[in-house]
Amino acid sequence: MTGFSGLLRSGLCICAILAVAAGCSGSQTQSNALVPGQSGTAAEQLSRLGVGSTMAADLQSSDLLYVADSKDGSVRVYSFPEGKPQGRLLDVGAGALCSGRNGDVVALAGSEILKYAHGGTRPISELHNPFGGSQQGCALDPTSGDLAVSGSSAAQSGVAIFTGAKGAATIYAAPRNGGYASLAYDNDGNLFAQTNSGNLVELARNAKRFREVDWGGARPPHAGAIQWDGKYLAIAGDATILRYSISGYRASPAGKVALESVAAASFEIYNGK
C-alpha cells in the first residue's frame, strides 16, 4: 500500500476508513435527491461539491480505503488490501470519516455531514452537524443505520444521533468539564464514545443516557481513536492497537497489535473491519 503509506509518513493523513462493499452484487444508483425530511442544501449544490472528483469505474463490488488528506482537503480512495489509487474526492475537508454496512461513506466537514455512495464522486445527501468544531467523530449503527456524530462548538458539545441517518438529531450533551471525540458502534448497536479526558462511556442500545465504562485497572496510558473490530473495542495507542472486551460496562484487555514504522496517533480509523 505504497500510496497510503506515503501519506502516513508525510503526516498528511488525518483519518481513514475501510468501506466494505455491500454483500449484494447489485449496483448502487447515485442520485442527487435529498433524503425526504432531512435538512441540507439543494440537490444542485450537492452535485457541485463533486465537480472535479474522479473515481475508477465499476467499484461498487470492491472494498475501498478512504483516506482524508489534511493538506489539500481531498479524500483519496485506494483499493483494499492492494492499496492502489482508485480516485479522489476534492474539496471535502473531512475531519472524520465513517462507513456503513452497505459501503456508503460519511464525511464530517465542519458543520456539514456529507454522505457518498460506495465508489461515488459526489455527495448523495447532506445533514447539518449541530456541533462542528475541529475535533469530530462519527459512527454508523450496523443494526439500524443510525448515524452518530460528535463534536464541540462554543455553544455546546456532545453526541448527535440521526435515526436512519436522516432528519433531525437527538442530542446527548457532554459533561461541562469535557466533550466526546471518537465514536464506535458494536455489532449489537451499543455506542461507545471516547471523551476528551480519555474516559470511555457507553450508550447501550435503547438507553437514554451514556454511562462510564470501568477500565478495571487496565486503562490505556495514551488512548486515541476507537473502533469496533468485529469482536473487540480497538483503541489506538502509541504505535499499538489495544483490544478490549466489553461486558456490563467493564473493559478487559484482550490483546494488542503492534504497528511498524508508523505512529498510531498520526491517523484514525473509524468503524473499519
PDB file of all heavy atoms in Angstrom, residues 49-77:
ATOM      1  N   LEU A  49     -20.543  19.969  -5.383  1.00  0.00           N
ATOM      2  CA  LEU A  49     -19.479  19.575  -4.474  1.00  0.00           C
ATOM      3  C   LEU A  49     -18.608  18.485  -5.067  1.00  0.00           C
ATOM      4  O   LEU A  49     -17.472  18.296  -4.647  1.00  0.00           O
ATOM      5  CB  LEU A  49     -20.069  19.092  -3.145  1.00  0.00           C
ATOM      6  CG  LEU A  49     -20.690  20.163  -2.247  1.00  0.00           C
ATOM      7  CD1 LEU A  49     -21.368  19.525  -1.053  1.00  0.00           C
ATOM      8  CD2 LEU A  49     -19.624  21.146  -1.772  1.00  0.00           C
ATOM      9  N   GLY A  50     -19.126  17.757  -6.046  1.00  0.00           N
ATOM     10  CA  GLY A  50     -18.351  16.670  -6.641  1.00  0.00           C
ATOM     11  C   GLY A  50     -17.617  17.057  -7.905  1.00  0.00           C
ATOM     12  O   GLY A  50     -16.956  16.213  -8.521  1.00  0.00           O
ATOM     13  N   VAL A  51     -17.678  18.326  -8.312  1.00  0.00           N
ATOM     14  CA  VAL A  51     -17.023  18.760  -9.545  1.00  0.00           C
ATOM     15  C   VAL A  51     -15.516  18.539  -9.441  1.00  0.00           C
ATOM     16  O   VAL A  51     -14.874  18.949  -8.465  1.00  0.00           O
ATOM     17  CB  VAL A  51     -17.325  20.239  -9.834  1.00  0.00           C
ATOM     18  CG1 VAL A  51     -16.479  20.746 -10.998  1.00  0.00           C
ATOM     19  CG2 VAL A  51     -18.804  20.427 -10.137  1.00  0.00           C
ATOM     20  N   GLY A  52     -14.950  17.886 -10.443  1.00  0.00           N
ATOM     21  CA  GLY A  52     -13.516  17.637 -10.479  1.00  0.00           C
ATOM     22  C   GLY A  52     -13.091  16.355  -9.796  1.00  0.00           C
ATOM     23  O   GLY A  52     -11.950  15.905  -9.970  1.00  0.00           O
ATOM     24  N   SER A  53     -13.982  15.743  -9.001  1.00  0.00           N
ATOM     25  CA  SER A  53     -13.636  14.484  -8.346  1.00  0.00           C
ATOM     26  C   SER A  53     -13.606  13.351  -9.369  1.00  0.00           C
ATOM     27  O   SER A  53     -14.355  13.367 -10.351  1.00  0.00           O
ATOM     28  CB  SER A  53     -14.659  14.159  -7.251  1.00  0.00           C
ATOM     29  OG  SER A  53     -14.643  15.147  -6.238  1.00  0.00           O
ATOM     30  N   THR A  54     -12.733  12.387  -9.157  1.00  0.00           N
ATOM     31  CA  THR A  54     -12.581  11.284 -10.104  1.00  0.00           C
ATOM     32  C   THR A  54     -12.625   9.956  -9.358  1.00  0.00           C
ATOM     33  O   THR A  54     -12.286   9.870  -8.181  1.00  0.00           O
ATOM     34  CB  THR A  54     -11.245  11.388 -10.849  1.00  0.00           C
ATOM     35  OG1 THR A  54     -10.169  11.384  -9.898  1.00  0.00           O
ATOM     36  CG2 THR A  54     -11.178  12.663 -11.676  1.00  0.00           C
ATOM     37  N   MET A  55     -13.061   8.911 -10.075  1.00  0.00           N
ATOM     38  CA  MET A  55     -13.117   7.582  -9.483  1.00  0.00           C
ATOM     39  C   MET A  55     -13.059   6.551 -10.603  1.00  0.00           C
ATOM     40  O   MET A  55     -13.622   6.757 -11.685  1.00  0.00           O
ATOM     41  CB  MET A  55     -14.411   7.407  -8.687  1.00  0.00           C
ATOM     42  CG  MET A  55     -14.398   6.245  -7.714  1.00  0.00           C
ATOM     43  SD  MET A  55     -13.357   6.564  -6.262  1.00  0.00           S
ATOM     44  CE  MET A  55     -14.256   7.921  -5.483  1.00  0.00           C
ATOM     45  N   ALA A  56     -12.346   5.466 -10.361  1.00  0.00           N
ATOM     46  CA  ALA A  56     -12.301   4.382 -11.330  1.00  0.00           C
ATOM     47  C   ALA A  56     -13.697   3.788 -11.503  1.00  0.00           C
ATOM     48  O   ALA A  56     -14.562   3.913 -10.637  1.00  0.00           O
ATOM     49  CB  ALA A  56     -11.321   3.308 -10.869  1.00  0.00           C
ATOM     50  N   ALA A  57     -13.909   3.132 -12.626  1.00  0.00           N
ATOM     51  CA  ALA A  57     -15.222   2.570 -12.934  1.00  0.00           C
ATOM     52  C   ALA A  57     -15.437   1.236 -12.211  1.00  0.00           C
ATOM     53  O   ALA A  57     -14.490   0.543 -11.833  1.00  0.00           O
ATOM     54  CB  ALA A  57     -15.355   2.369 -14.442  1.00  0.00           C
ATOM     55  N   ASP A  58     -16.710   0.907 -12.001  1.00  0.00           N
ATOM     56  CA  ASP A  58     -17.122  -0.403 -11.502  1.00  0.00           C
ATOM     57  C   ASP A  58     -16.490  -0.752 -10.151  1.00  0.00           C
ATOM     58  O   ASP A  58     -15.900  -1.818  -9.972  1.00  0.00           O
ATOM     59  CB  ASP A  58     -16.783  -1.491 -12.531  1.00  0.00           C
ATOM     60  CG  ASP A  58     -17.446  -1.245 -13.875  1.00  0.00           C
ATOM     61  OD1 ASP A  58     -18.596  -0.763 -13.881  1.00  0.00           O
ATOM     62  OD2 ASP A  58     -16.806  -1.526 -14.903  1.00  0.00           O
ATOM     63  N   LEU A  59     -16.636   0.157  -9.181  1.00  0.00           N
ATOM     64  CA  LEU A  59     -16.089  -0.088  -7.858  1.00  0.00           C
ATOM     65  C   LEU A  59     -17.148  -0.526  -6.851  1.00  0.00           C
ATOM     66  O   LEU A  59     -16.833  -0.723  -5.680  1.00  0.00           O
ATOM     67  CB  LEU A  59     -15.404   1.186  -7.329  1.00  0.00           C
ATOM     68  CG  LEU A  59     -14.158   1.652  -8.072  1.00  0.00           C
ATOM     69  CD1 LEU A  59     -13.637   2.950  -7.461  1.00  0.00           C
ATOM     70  CD2 LEU A  59     -13.078   0.580  -8.039  1.00  0.00           C
ATOM     71  N   GLN A  60     -18.387  -0.687  -7.298  1.00  0.00           N
ATOM     72  CA  GLN A  60     -19.474  -0.978  -6.365  1.00  0.00           C
ATOM     73  C   GLN A  60     -19.259  -2.271  -5.585  1.00  0.00           C
ATOM     74  O   GLN A  60     -19.719  -2.406  -4.450  1.00  0.00           O
ATOM     75  CB  GLN A  60     -20.820  -1.032  -7.109  1.00  0.00           C
ATOM     76  CG  GLN A  60     -21.357   0.313  -7.537  1.00  0.00           C
ATOM     77  CD  GLN A  60     -20.707   0.813  -8.815  1.00  0.00           C
ATOM     78  OE1 GLN A  60     -19.939   0.089  -9.443  1.00  0.00           O
ATOM     79  NE2 GLN A  60     -21.006   2.046  -9.203  1.00  0.00           N
ATOM     80  N   SER A  61     -18.551  -3.236  -6.172  1.00  0.00           N
ATOM     81  CA  SER A  61     -18.342  -4.517  -5.502  1.00  0.00           C
ATOM     82  C   SER A  61     -16.928  -4.652  -4.937  1.00  0.00           C
ATOM     83  O   SER A  61     -16.517  -5.740  -4.540  1.00  0.00           O
ATOM     84  CB  SER A  61     -18.616  -5.677  -6.475  1.00  0.00           C
ATOM     85  OG  SER A  61     -17.762  -5.597  -7.600  1.00  0.00           O
ATOM     86  N   SER A  62     -16.187  -3.541  -4.867  1.00  0.00           N
ATOM     87  CA  SER A  62     -14.806  -3.576  -4.395  1.00  0.00           C
ATOM     88  C   SER A  62     -14.703  -2.973  -2.996  1.00  0.00           C
ATOM     89  O   SER A  62     -15.363  -1.987  -2.689  1.00  0.00           O
ATOM     90  CB  SER A  62     -13.896  -2.789  -5.349  1.00  0.00           C
ATOM     91  OG  SER A  62     -13.950  -3.309  -6.668  1.00  0.00           O
ATOM     92  N   ASP A  63     -13.851  -3.552  -2.147  1.00  0.00           N
ATOM     93  CA  ASP A  63     -13.545  -2.958  -0.852  1.00  0.00           C
ATOM     94  C   ASP A  63     -12.586  -1.790  -1.067  1.00  0.00           C
ATOM     95  O   ASP A  63     -11.586  -1.920  -1.786  1.00  0.00           O
ATOM     96  CB  ASP A  63     -12.903  -3.986   0.079  1.00  0.00           C
ATOM     97  CG  ASP A  63     -13.862  -5.098   0.471  1.00  0.00           C
ATOM     98  OD1 ASP A  63     -15.082  -4.912   0.279  1.00  0.00           O
ATOM     99  OD2 ASP A  63     -13.393  -6.131   0.969  1.00  0.00           O
ATOM    100  N   LEU A  64     -12.893  -0.640  -0.446  1.00  0.00           N
ATOM    101  CA  LEU A  64     -12.127   0.579  -0.687  1.00  0.00           C
ATOM    102  C   LEU A  64     -11.657   1.190   0.625  1.00  0.00           C
ATOM    103  O   LEU A  64     -12.364   1.142   1.630  1.00  0.00           O
ATOM    104  CB  LEU A  64     -12.975   1.603  -1.446  1.00  0.00           C
ATOM    105  CG  LEU A  64     -13.502   1.177  -2.815  1.00  0.00           C
ATOM    106  CD1 LEU A  64     -14.472   2.237  -3.356  1.00  0.00           C
ATOM    107  CD2 LEU A  64     -12.364   0.941  -3.793  1.00  0.00           C
ATOM    108  N   LEU A  65     -10.477   1.795   0.594  1.00  0.00           N
ATOM    109  CA  LEU A  65      -9.936   2.519   1.728  1.00  0.00           C
ATOM    110  C   LEU A  65      -9.987   4.011   1.418  1.00  0.00           C
ATOM    111  O   LEU A  65      -9.388   4.469   0.444  1.00  0.00           O
ATOM    112  CB  LEU A  65      -8.498   2.091   2.002  1.00  0.00           C
ATOM    113  CG  LEU A  65      -7.821   2.731   3.221  1.00  0.00           C
ATOM    114  CD1 LEU A  65      -8.458   2.211   4.504  1.00  0.00           C
ATOM    115  CD2 LEU A  65      -6.321   2.443   3.219  1.00  0.00           C
ATOM    116  N   TYR A  66     -10.743   4.769   2.234  1.00  0.00           N
ATOM    117  CA  TYR A  66     -10.872   6.217   2.070  1.00  0.00           C
ATOM    118  C   TYR A  66      -9.934   6.905   3.065  1.00  0.00           C
ATOM    119  O   TYR A  66      -9.997   6.625   4.263  1.00  0.00           O
ATOM    120  CB  TYR A  66     -12.314   6.668   2.325  1.00  0.00           C
ATOM    121  CG  TYR A  66     -13.295   6.311   1.233  1.00  0.00           C
ATOM    122  CD1 TYR A  66     -13.691   4.983   1.027  1.00  0.00           C
ATOM    123  CD2 TYR A  66     -13.847   7.285   0.410  1.00  0.00           C
ATOM    124  CE1 TYR A  66     -14.593   4.655   0.037  1.00  0.00           C
ATOM    125  CE2 TYR A  66     -14.750   6.959  -0.587  1.00  0.00           C
ATOM    126  CZ  TYR A  66     -15.125   5.644  -0.779  1.00  0.00           C
ATOM    127  OH  TYR A  66     -16.010   5.330  -1.762  1.00  0.00           O
ATOM    128  N   VAL A  67      -9.095   7.807   2.570  1.00  0.00           N
ATOM    129  CA  VAL A  67      -8.098   8.475   3.400  1.00  0.00           C
ATOM    130  C   VAL A  67      -8.222   9.984   3.227  1.00  0.00           C
ATOM    131  O   VAL A  67      -8.114  10.502   2.115  1.00  0.00           O
ATOM    132  CB  VAL A  67      -6.664   8.033   3.020  1.00  0.00           C
ATOM    133  CG1 VAL A  67      -5.644   8.707   3.932  1.00  0.00           C
ATOM    134  CG2 VAL A  67      -6.531   6.521   3.092  1.00  0.00           C
ATOM    135  N   ALA A  68      -8.473  10.700   4.330  1.00  0.00           N
ATOM    136  CA  ALA A  68      -8.582  12.161   4.284  1.00  0.00           C
ATOM    137  C   ALA A  68      -7.186  12.783   4.285  1.00  0.00           C
ATOM    138  O   ALA A  68      -6.343  12.426   5.111  1.00  0.00           O
ATOM    139  CB  ALA A  68      -9.390  12.667   5.468  1.00  0.00           C
ATOM    140  N   ASP A  69      -6.956  13.703   3.371  1.00  0.00           N
ATOM    141  CA  ASP A  69      -5.673  14.400   3.247  1.00  0.00           C
ATOM    142  C   ASP A  69      -5.818  15.790   3.861  1.00  0.00           C
ATOM    143  O   ASP A  69      -6.563  16.629   3.359  1.00  0.00           O
ATOM    144  CB  ASP A  69      -5.293  14.507   1.767  1.00  0.00           C
ATOM    145  CG  ASP A  69      -3.877  15.005   1.552  1.00  0.00           C
ATOM    146  OD1 ASP A  69      -3.379  15.772   2.395  1.00  0.00           O
ATOM    147  OD2 ASP A  69      -3.267  14.647   0.526  1.00  0.00           O
ATOM    148  N   SER A  70      -5.099  16.040   4.956  1.00  0.00           N
ATOM    149  CA  SER A  70      -5.236  17.313   5.659  1.00  0.00           C
ATOM    150  C   SER A  70      -4.569  18.465   4.917  1.00  0.00           C
ATOM    151  O   SER A  70      -4.831  19.628   5.232  1.00  0.00           O
ATOM    152  CB  SER A  70      -4.638  17.201   7.067  1.00  0.00           C
ATOM    153  OG  SER A  70      -3.256  16.884   6.998  1.00  0.00           O
ATOM    154  N   LYS A  71      -3.731  18.171   3.939  1.00  0.00           N
ATOM    155  CA  LYS A  71      -3.016  19.239   3.240  1.00  0.00           C
ATOM    156  C   LYS A  71      -3.900  19.945   2.221  1.00  0.00           C
ATOM    157  O   LYS A  71      -3.935  21.173   2.154  1.00  0.00           O
ATOM    158  CB  LYS A  71      -1.767  18.688   2.544  1.00  0.00           C
ATOM    159  CG  LYS A  71      -0.926  19.763   1.867  1.00  0.00           C
ATOM    160  CD  LYS A  71       0.340  19.183   1.274  1.00  0.00           C
ATOM    161  CE  LYS A  71       1.179  20.280   0.612  1.00  0.00           C
ATOM    162  NZ  LYS A  71       2.434  19.730   0.023  1.00  0.00           N
ATOM    163  N   ASP A  72      -4.631  19.177   1.410  1.00  0.00           N
ATOM    164  CA  ASP A  72      -5.433  19.797   0.348  1.00  0.00           C
ATOM    165  C   ASP A  72      -6.933  19.612   0.539  1.00  0.00           C
ATOM    166  O   ASP A  72      -7.727  20.060  -0.291  1.00  0.00           O
ATOM    167  CB  ASP A  72      -5.006  19.269  -1.030  1.00  0.00           C
ATOM    168  CG  ASP A  72      -5.184  17.761  -1.174  1.00  0.00           C
ATOM    169  OD1 ASP A  72      -5.888  17.146  -0.341  1.00  0.00           O
ATOM    170  OD2 ASP A  72      -4.623  17.183  -2.121  1.00  0.00           O
ATOM    171  N   GLY A  73      -7.356  18.957   1.621  1.00  0.00           N
ATOM    172  CA  GLY A  73      -8.778  18.800   1.881  1.00  0.00           C
ATOM    173  C   GLY A  73      -9.462  17.708   1.080  1.00  0.00           C
ATOM    174  O   GLY A  73     -10.683  17.542   1.169  1.00  0.00           O
ATOM    175  N   SER A  74      -8.714  16.962   0.299  1.00  0.00           N
ATOM    176  CA  SER A  74      -9.312  15.906  -0.510  1.00  0.00           C
ATOM    177  C   SER A  74      -9.433  14.615   0.285  1.00  0.00           C
ATOM    178  O   SER A  74      -8.880  14.474   1.376  1.00  0.00           O
ATOM    179  CB  SER A  74      -8.476  15.652  -1.765  1.00  0.00           C
ATOM    180  OG  SER A  74      -7.227  15.075  -1.426  1.00  0.00           O
ATOM    181  N   VAL A  75     -10.183  13.663  -0.260  1.00  0.00           N
ATOM    182  CA  VAL A  75     -10.245  12.304   0.274  1.00  0.00           C
ATOM    183  C   VAL A  75      -9.753  11.377  -0.831  1.00  0.00           C
ATOM    184  O   VAL A  75     -10.339  11.310  -1.909  1.00  0.00           O
ATOM    185  CB  VAL A  75     -11.670  11.915   0.707  1.00  0.00           C
ATOM    186  CG1 VAL A  75     -11.727  10.439   1.116  1.00  0.00           C
ATOM    187  CG2 VAL A  75     -12.144  12.793   1.864  1.00  0.00           C
ATOM    188  N   ARG A  76      -8.669  10.685  -0.566  1.00  0.00           N
ATOM    189  CA  ARG A  76      -8.088   9.771  -1.543  1.00  0.00           C
ATOM    190  C   ARG A  76      -8.662   8.372  -1.325  1.00  0.00           C
ATOM    191  O   ARG A  76      -8.885   7.952  -0.193  1.00  0.00           O
ATOM    192  CB  ARG A  76      -6.565   9.760  -1.421  1.00  0.00           C
ATOM    193  CG  ARG A  76      -5.928  11.138  -1.636  1.00  0.00           C
ATOM    194  CD  ARG A  76      -4.459  11.129  -1.263  1.00  0.00           C
ATOM    195  NE  ARG A  76      -3.894  12.467  -1.284  1.00  0.00           N
ATOM    196  CZ  ARG A  76      -3.211  12.995  -2.307  1.00  0.00           C
ATOM    197  NH1 ARG A  76      -3.035  12.278  -3.402  1.00  0.00           N
ATOM    198  NH2 ARG A  76      -2.725  14.212  -2.232  1.00  0.00           N
ATOM    199  N   VAL A  77      -8.878   7.662  -2.419  1.00  0.00           N
ATOM    200  CA  VAL A  77      -9.523   6.356  -2.364  1.00  0.00           C
ATOM    201  C   VAL A  77      -8.582   5.311  -2.946  1.00  0.00           C
ATOM    202  O   VAL A  77      -8.030   5.482  -4.029  1.00  0.00           O
ATOM    203  CB  VAL A  77     -10.854   6.359  -3.137  1.00  0.00           C
ATOM    204  CG1 VAL A  77     -11.556   5.002  -3.010  1.00  0.00           C
ATOM    205  CG2 VAL A  77     -11.768   7.474  -2.618  1.00  0.00           C
TER     206      VAL A  77
END
